[in-house]
Amino acid sequence: MIGTGILLASYYQPGPTTAYQSVRFITEEVAFGWYIRSLHKWSATFMVAGVILHQLRVFFTGAYRRPRELNWMIGMGLLLSTLIGGFTGYSLVYEQLSFWGATVASNVADSVPFLGGFLKRTLLAGDSYNPHTLSRLFVIHAALMPAVMVALLFLHIAMVRLHGVSELRFPDDTAAKRHFPFVPDHLFSEIIMGLLLMIVLSTLALLLPAGMGPMADPLTTPEVIKPEWYFYVAFRW
């Protein structure tokens, strides 16, 4: 995500008159730009899915209980920052659906008691979508959220190493192994899973590359407005 994001940021130009054309330039003219953008998109999809599934696993196995309450809150912070990162990244393309999705999402945020107005103005850099909105979303997506996620991830892993890995235990199970060496067990297992995921992501980027929808038109509301899949439940609700 960080590697492909840096490559994309070197060409992306936030602004209502430049964003869409810069993404089109990346997708259609930059050498392997379509591949880098597709990797970034599919990585984001897998990242959101992975964090959601991980939080569900922790919840349904009761791994959030003492002494892991703080790590559960750190994990929820990771989930929230991942969703914000996905939302802001989706909005940067300045397509018709991403523009109106951001508009609807900001109005949903505005309905939050007490903090709604602040959240909406923070996202949009004003009371409504304006020429400064994409710059604000770009800073949140490319600078703020990565820094927050790296910090939270460091704390999260440190807490896991401190408390050990939570496992399903049964009444007659007295030999559950909660701690194991960081090197090679923890490190190598992460590297192996990362390499396997890179193969899957590369395959998806080749077979299902990221495309371009119609450019955003603030004066024309599309017949169907829907956000990315991870916000669809809240959107329909």
Side-chain angles (χ1 to χ4, degrees):
M1 290 294 294
I2 293 176
T4 55
I6 291 174
L7 293 175
L8 293 173
S10 63
Y11 288 98
Y12 181 73
Q13 300 177 24
T17 60
T18 58
Y20 186 83
Q21 296 304 326
S22 67
V23 175
R24 180 182 291 278
F25 179 75
I26 292 171
T27 306
E28 299 179 358
E29 298 187 42
V30 175
F32 296 103
W34 63 272
Y35 176 70
I36 298 300
R37 183 178 169 226
S38 300
L39 272 182
H40 195 74
K41 177 183 177 181
W42 280 110
S43 297
T45 301
F46 271 57
M47 182 175 176
V48 173
V51 175
I52 291 175
L53 291 174
H54 178 66
Q55 289 299 91
L56 288 174
R57 196 276 299 173
V58 172
F59 178 77
F60 285 111
T61 59
Y64 57 86
R65 293 176 292 187
R66 179 182 285 187
R68 298 180 174 83
E69 303 96 329
L70 178 59
N71 214 21
W72 166 258
M73 298 305 298
I74 294 174
M76 291 304 297
L78 273 169
L79 174 60
L80 179 61
S81 56
T82 301
L83 292 175
I84 294 174
F87 163 74
T88 52
Y90 170 73
S91 302
L92 291 178
V93 183
Y94 203 62
E95 295 174 339
Q96 182 75 320
L97 290 180
S98 65
F99 171 86
W100 287 102
T103 301
V104 171
S106 63
N107 290 332
V108 172
D110 192 29
S111 65
V112 175
F114 304 110
L115 296 176
F118 170 77
L119 294 175
K120 180 179 180 179
R121 288 190 295 273
T122 300
L123 284 174
L124 299 183
D127 293 322
S128 60
Y129 214 108
N130 61 79
H132 304 290
T133 298
L134 283 175
S135 297
R136 174 65 57 85
L137 293 174
F138 182 62
V139 170
I140 295 174
H141 179 75
L144 180 60
M145 286 301 101
V148 170
M149 283 188 280
V150 168
L152 290 177
L153 188 59
F154 177 82
L155 291 174
H156 198 61
I157 295 176
M159 295 291 286
V160 169
R161 297 302 308 173
L162 177 64
H163 296 300
V165 176
S166 62
E167 297 177 349
L168 284 173
R169 300 187 65 180
F170 300 94
D172 58 345
D173 184 7
T174 59
K177 183 180 179 182
R178 293 182 176 275
H179 291 84
F180 53 90
F182 184 79
V183 180
D185 296 20
H186 200 158
L187 179 63
F188 283 11
S189 64
E190 296 294 333
I191 292 176
I192 291 171
M193 288 186 287
L195 291 174
L196 290 175
L197 278 173
M198 287 175 65
I199 295 173
V200 174
L201 290 171
S202 186
T203 302
L204 288 171
L206 291 171
L207 298 179
L208 299 171
M212 296 288 297
M215 183 176 176
D217 182 1
L219 301 179
T220 303
T221 306
E223 294 183 4
V224 179
I225 301 176
K226 64 178 182 179
E228 285 290 284
W229 62 268
Y230 39 88
F231 285 119
Y232 197 62
V233 173
F235 172 75
R236 294 302 300 172
W237 181 28

